[in-house]
Amino acid sequence: MTDILVLYFSRHGTTAELARHVGRGVESVDGARARIRTVPVPGVVVSAVPGEGPPYATHDDLRECAGLVLGSPVRFGNMASPLMAFFDGTSSLWMSGTLAGKPAGAADACASTRAKVSACTRDRAARRSRRTAADRRWSRTRNSSTSS
């Protein structure tokens, strides 16, 4: 049986529901099994197993899985900090090559279109930073001549 790790963080339950749907999809494939895990909020003392819901992810889950699907709410255009904190602690797995070649996917939950707008804004800013000095001079000259 091939384990696919479905790793998520959810504060209000929307991303947890999304992760359950992803897990059902994984299990609809012959020979695949979903291993659904979550992550705790950083800085909060927790037991090894949460009171309800799936268990917390460990480095062993990442070592043993054949693939990975991440689920996160979108917070200011980024993944949730508890999920990011979990991955910040996995550098030894990346450096040893344990995670190399494992297929991965992602699913996000967003209550607002603003997160999508911020991604567009970052893309726009990146395109602007690539403009040459000549482009900027032309732009200033054009703007000053049209404002008179």
Side-chain angles (χ1 to χ4, degrees):
M1 189 68 66
T2 302
D3 277 0
I4 305 298
L5 178 61
V6 179
L7 179 59
Y8 74 92
F9 174 76
S10 184
R11 187 174 302 271
H12 302 293
T14 304
T15 310
E17 184 178 345
L18 184 62
R20 285 190 295 274
H21 286 294
V22 169
R24 275 187 238 131
V26 167
E27 296 199 345
S28 71
V29 175
D30 288 338
R33 180 177 56 197
R35 184 186 295 196
I36 299 177
R37 299 289 188 264
T38 189
V39 293
V41 175
V44 176
V45 176
V46 294
S47 66
V49 179
E52 59 184 48
Y56 292 130
T58 65
H59 287 191
D60 288 336
D61 290 318
L62 286 171
R63 274 187 209 93
E64 297 165 3
C65 73
L68 170 68
V69 180
L70 296 176
S72 176
V74 176
R75 303 264 170 84
F76 303 105
N78 294 305
M79 79 167 59
S81 62
L83 199 54
M84 184 62 79
F86 176 78
F87 276 103
D88 285 347
T90 62
S91 59
S92 63
L93 296 176
W94 292 101
M95 297 300 289
S96 68
T98 303
L99 303 178
K102 292 188 181 191
D108 64 27
C110 182
S112 154
T113 58
R114 297 300 293 161
K116 306 295 183 208
V117 170
S118 69
C120 292
T121 303
R122 282 194 307 266
D123 179 53
R124 191 175 198 186
R127 277 187 273 137
R128 276 189 167 172
S129 68
R130 289 190 298 260
R131 290 191 326 177
T132 65
D135 290 337
R136 287 191 290 274
R137 277 195 305 275
W138 179 83
S139 214
R140 275 187 302 232
T141 307
R142 186 173 151 235
N143 289 337
S144 64
S145 65
T146 57
S147 63
S148 311

